[in-house]
Amino acid sequence: MKFVFFLILTVLLVSCSATENQKNQLLVINQNYDQAIANYKLKITNNKLNHTAYYNLAQVYLLIKQFDLAEQAIKSALVIQPLNSKYLFLRGKINYYRKDYFLAITQLQSSVRMNYSNLESYYYLGKSYFNIGKVQQAKSTLQQALEIEPHYFPFVYLQVYIAFHSYSSTNLATEKEYLTWIQSMDKAIKLLPTDVRGYVLLADIYQAYGNTPSAMHILHTGIDKVPTTDKDQLYLKLANIHFQQGESQKAVQYIQSIQHQSAEVATLALEFTVSQHPDDNALTLVDKLIQTYPKDYNPLLLKGKIYLLQNKTKEAIQIFNSILLNNAKIAEAHFLLAKAYNRQEKVSNAIFHIQEALKVNPNNLHYHLFLIEQYLHHNQLIKAKNYLNALAIEKTSSTFFLLQAQLAKKEKNYQQANTFLQQASKIGFSLAQEREAVAVAMLNGNLQLAKNKLNLLNKLGDSSIKTKILNAKLLYLQNNKKQATSILQPLVRSDVNSLQAMIVLAMIYTEKNQFASAIQILAKAWQTQPYNPIISLQLINYYEWTKQYQKAIQVLGKLQTLQKTTIQNEIVFKQALYLKRLHQTQKSQRLLAQYNKSLLYSTL
């Protein structure tokens, strides 16, 4: 009788415990995390050796990205049960999300050895290897995993992820590879439509392929499918895309939809404000972010961007170098550093860092174009052509023809550029190709073709900064200066690095005889790129017309520091002329003698 009583009591206790666990799981599903945490803490208070409560508590902390608290909880569980492979795996997973990949690898290896059937261990182990640059180990881990379960979603995802991200700096993906990855991820998403990773990776592939509308469409599809806790990643990605296209208001809407703040989210939200007002107050705000998230590089990256917006190039370089000192695999830091060195005309430094960015993110077409532009900007045409031909892409792909068109346009061979673009369009459609075709059509004087292609871009909802500038240029060429101005003014206010917008707006002000406004715009453009000969010479002409000779001399002095400039004699002559007008006769005569001597040597 006693035995039966104890048996019934045991069953009741187990039943109550199961019911309690189900209630806590429902709290997590309904995102009532605070109550779930309180319940698990109460269990621990009642029983310090309740390792299951520690494990469940760690899982909740991981869900809300409280990684330090999550690790503290799982460590307590492991003290009680040190040989529990499930607990060891969770600690490895937590350290993976903390970006402590070396520690994660150690723990995940132990988890795999203890339990070969835990498929997730293989996934996080492979991803950790890849994140520290050990591609072969990542592939080997994935191969082992695929032998166990070839159709498991995370393994299919990881297979595409490694293929997409593991190219060398001169190896851009081919058209076929992009299509293969897209098809693989489409199938994977159908297998597991609730996993956020599939939507994020597919959006990345579409963006690299130059198909931003499809990237946005797949992210919106994911928002309808994935659990609420994972929607933040999709909102953040959509916010980034809209921000890159100059649509700050839409970007803010998606940021406001994010429920769990992080360094990346907070930084991006601040970046919208900073882009419009990059003043010292912005630096104060970003410094507070750095204090709040001392281990995250995103706020530091933003601080460097602010310095670039304020034209404090030296300070920006220091910030980007400090980021790369801690983690050399941040592509954006390398790219921004390349842009900063480009402003200083430090060619070798700029090229080195864009090549480093490509090692991390080799499928970024923008990085490849930036490198080609560097070669072209410094008249290294052979290097530009050799680099383009060395890219491991199909020589009959639309990507190859797009790059060839970019190169031909830089060489001012507009007819050839148009031919390349026509070849690209026969293979496939992309917004980048259409934008390039609009630019080339305008350069060829075919305004009707440019208008037709712009109408198509506008119908497709392309509201990127490049397309807005193209719209403004076409309106300007059609003598609709008022409407062109209404497009350009907000762009110049929101993006001080939008040189094309500045130059076109300055031209419009000039034609309206608003020289003060034109000078203000060009001076801002010159501060952004003081070594740009086109901007410098145009600004010098404006200063000459308005008799601001001292300012003209300042711009000439900066232009003179350029190595191998082809206009050194003209610079010296103009300096002599302006000094004479400022009644600095002796300096003027010395420079005039230098000019005459150079002129004599050039005629020998």
Side-chain angles (χ1 to χ4, degrees):
M1 189 70 181
K2 284 184 180 180
F3 173 75
V4 173
F5 171 75
F6 283 118
L7 184 62
I8 293 168
L9 183 62
T10 303
V11 169
L12 284 171
L13 287 170
V14 170
S15 176
C16 288
S17 178
T19 306
E20 195 176 346
N21 284 333
Q22 287 172 352
K23 284 180 180 178
N24 287 329
Q25 286 169 8
L26 276 173
L27 287 172
V28 173
I29 290 167
N30 294 325
Q31 298 180 65
N32 194 343
Y33 301 118
D34 291 339
Q35 188 58 56
I37 288 168
N39 288 354
Y40 289 130
K41 281 185 174 179
L42 181 62
K43 280 189 168 190
I44 291 164
T45 303
N46 294 333
N47 181 2
K48 298 289 185 185
L49 298 178
N50 190 337
H51 52 85
T52 306
Y54 282 116
Y55 171 74
N56 290 330
L57 182 60
Q59 285 188 309
V60 178
Y61 279 135
L62 179 58
L63 269 176
I64 59 174
K65 296 180 173 63
Q66 295 281 346
F67 303 128
D68 290 342
L69 291 172
E71 193 190 20
Q72 187 180 334
I74 199 63
K75 279 168 76 176
S76 299
L78 281 163
V79 168
I80 303 162
Q81 281 210 347
L83 298 178
N84 190 315
S85 66
K86 185 170 72 171
Y87 295 177
L88 200 56
F89 159 70
L90 184 58
R91 192 180 178 197
K93 183 178 175 181
I94 291 164
N95 281 307
Y96 166 83
Y97 281 108
R98 289 176 74 191
K99 299 182 181 179
D100 191 344
Y101 301 120
F102 288 98
L103 184 56
I105 286 167
T106 302
Q107 291 154 357
L108 291 165
Q109 281 175 334
S110 299
S111 174
V112 167
R113 282 195 295 268
M114 292 167 68
N115 183 1
Y116 288 99
S117 63
N118 188 344
L119 298 177
E120 276 196 286
S121 294
Y122 291 97
Y123 167 76
Y124 286 104
L125 182 57
K127 198 83 182 286
S128 297
Y129 274 131
F130 189 78
N131 287 344
I132 61 170
K134 293 188 175 182
V135 180
Q136 290 308 316
Q137 285 93 325
K139 287 181 178 178
S140 176
T141 302
L142 178 60
Q143 195 55 45
Q144 290 174 8
L146 287 167
E147 288 171 8
I148 299 169
E149 180 49 73
H151 302 296
Y152 182 53
F153 171 86
F155 298 162
V156 177
Y157 161 84
L158 188 55
Q159 202 168 22
V160 178
Y161 182 91
I162 291 173
F164 176 58
H165 287 288
S166 63
Y167 283 78
S168 66
S169 61
T170 56
N171 193 351
L172 196 65
T174 65
E175 204 92 3
K176 287 179 181 176
E177 284 166 324
Y178 277 123
L179 293 174
T180 301
W181 297 334
I182 289 167
Q183 288 167 3
S184 296
M185 288 317 301
D186 273 334
K187 288 178 183 176
I189 287 170
K190 285 174 184 174
L191 285 172
L192 191 58
T194 57
D195 197 301
V196 71
R197 289 171 290 189
Y199 299 100
V200 172
L201 179 56
L202 186 50
D204 282 339
I205 294 167
Y206 273 129
Q207 272 199 287
Y209 189 47
N211 192 343
T212 303
S214 290
M216 294 172 75
H217 173 73
I218 199 66
L219 291 169
H220 280 291
T221 303
I223 288 169
D224 294 333
K225 304 281 186 182
V226 304
T228 306
T229 51
D230 291 333
K231 292 184 193 294
D232 285 358
Q233 295 179 55
L234 304 178
Y235 288 134
L236 181 60
K237 201 138 196 76
L238 280 164
N240 262 308
I241 292 173
H242 281 294
F243 184 57
Q244 288 165 13
Q245 292 187 323
E247 299 171 328
S248 294
Q249 287 184 340
K250 284 186 179 179
V252 168
Q253 288 173 9
Y254 287 113
I255 282 291
Q256 288 171 343
S257 300
I258 294 172
Q259 294 188 9
H260 299 107
Q261 288 291 309
S262 66
E264 191 176 1
V265 171
T267 304
L268 190 61
L270 179 58
E271 192 166 349
F272 300 144
T273 307
V274 167
S275 65
Q276 296 176 5
H277 305 288
D279 51 20
D280 290 335
N281 184 50
L283 285 171
T284 305
L285 292 170
V286 82
D287 280 335
K288 287 180 181 177
L289 267 186
I290 292 167
Q291 289 173 3
T292 308
Y293 304 102
K295 293 181 181 180
D296 198 284
Y297 69 85
N298 283 291
L300 272 176
L301 206 59
L302 179 56
K303 189 170 185 178
K305 288 179 185 178
I306 295 170
Y307 280 136
L308 279 180
L309 289 168
Q310 293 179 339
N311 300 306
K312 296 177 180 177
T313 312
K314 288 182 181 178
E315 291 87 342
I317 287 170
Q318 287 176 349
I319 291 286
F320 298 137
N321 275 322
S322 70
I323 293 169
L324 293 169
L325 196 64
N326 291 321
N327 186 348
K329 291 188 175 294
I330 298 172
E332 193 177 2
H334 281 295
F335 175 62
L336 291 168
L337 195 51
K339 291 181 79 171
Y341 280 127
N342 181 47
R343 287 191 190 179
Q344 294 185 338
E345 288 293 313
K346 292 183 178 177
V347 185
S348 58
N349 291 32
I351 288 173
F352 170 79
H353 281 287
I354 195 62
Q355 287 172 336
E356 289 299 302
L358 280 163
K359 285 178 184 175
V360 181
N361 193 349
N363 285 294
N364 191 314
L365 183 59
H366 186 55
Y367 292 176
H368 286 284
L369 290 175
F370 183 82
L371 182 53
I372 290 171
E373 283 173 5
Q374 289 299 297
Y375 289 137
L376 290 171
H377 178 66
H378 299 288
N379 295 316
Q380 299 178 25
L381 300 186
I382 295 172
K383 277 191 176 181
K385 287 181 179 178
N386 289 343
Y387 180 83
L388 180 54
N389 289 323
L391 282 173
I393 57 177
E394 291 179 9
K395 305 309 179 190
T396 56
S397 70
S398 60
T399 303
F400 178 74
F401 288 127
L402 175 60
L403 288 165
Q404 286 283 18
Q406 290 270 3
L407 183 56
K409 192 180 81 170
K410 287 285 181 182
E411 294 177 315
K412 298 185 178 179
N413 192 340
Y414 306 130
Q415 286 186 340
Q416 191 178 28
N418 188 50
T419 303
F420 283 131
L421 286 166
Q422 286 175 351
Q423 288 173 299
S425 64
K426 287 177 185 176
I427 298 165
F429 174 85
S430 78
L431 295 177
Q433 284 169 206
E434 288 302 298
R435 282 194 287 263
E436 202 62 38
V438 172
V440 171
M442 282 195 276
L443 290 167
N444 274 325
N446 194 340
L447 300 188
Q448 188 56 50
L449 177 62
K451 185 179 179 180
N452 292 341
K453 288 189 173 292
L454 267 175
N455 285 339
L456 176 62
L457 287 169
N458 293 329
K459 282 179 184 177
L460 291 170
D462 178 22
S463 55
S464 64
I465 290 174
K466 287 183 179 179
T467 300
K468 287 176 181 177
I469 292 172
L470 287 170
N471 273 305
K473 281 183 177 180
L474 183 61
L475 288 165
Y476 167 73
L477 291 170
Q478 293 173 328
N479 290 319
N480 191 343
K481 298 181 181 66
K482 186 176 180 181
Q483 201 172 342
T485 303
S486 68
I487 294 172
L488 293 166
Q489 281 178 332
L491 288 180
V492 170
R493 282 196 296 268
S494 65
D495 185 1
V496 296
N497 290 317
S498 186
L499 294 175
Q500 287 191 345
M502 290 178 184
I503 291 167
V504 178
L505 191 56
M507 288 165 65
I508 293 170
Y509 283 140
T510 303
E511 292 190 15
K512 291 180 177 178
N513 293 321
Q514 297 175 5
F515 292 112
S517 297
I519 287 172
Q520 185 181 5
I521 293 292
L522 276 175
K524 189 186 284 188
W526 179 74
Q527 287 171 357
T528 305
Q529 285 200 9
Y531 299 100
N532 188 311
I534 297 170
I535 295 169
S536 298
L537 291 171
Q538 188 66 9
L539 186 57
I540 288 162
N541 288 334
Y542 279 108
Y543 283 142
E544 186 176 337
W545 296 339
T546 54
K547 298 182 180 180
Q548 299 182 59
Y549 301 122
Q550 195 63 55
K551 288 184 177 179
I553 290 168
Q554 182 188 355
V555 178
L556 282 165
K558 206 76 169 177
L559 196 59
Q560 198 172 24
T561 60
L562 277 172
Q563 293 179 351
K564 298 179 182 179
T565 180
T566 56
I567 54 170
Q568 282 288 1
N569 288 342
E570 288 80 353
I571 290 170
V572 172
F573 178 77
K574 278 186 176 288
Q575 284 175 326
L577 178 66
Y578 299 152
L579 285 166
K580 185 178 180 181
R581 290 177 181 174
L582 288 167
H583 307 293
Q584 297 182 30
T585 312
Q586 287 184 342
K587 284 184 179 180
S588 175
Q589 286 176 343
R590 280 200 303 271
L591 285 173
L592 196 59
Q594 182 184 329
Y595 168 74
N596 288 331
K597 190 176 180 181
S598 298
L599 202 63
L600 176 65
Y601 282 131
S602 66
T603 59
L604 292 176

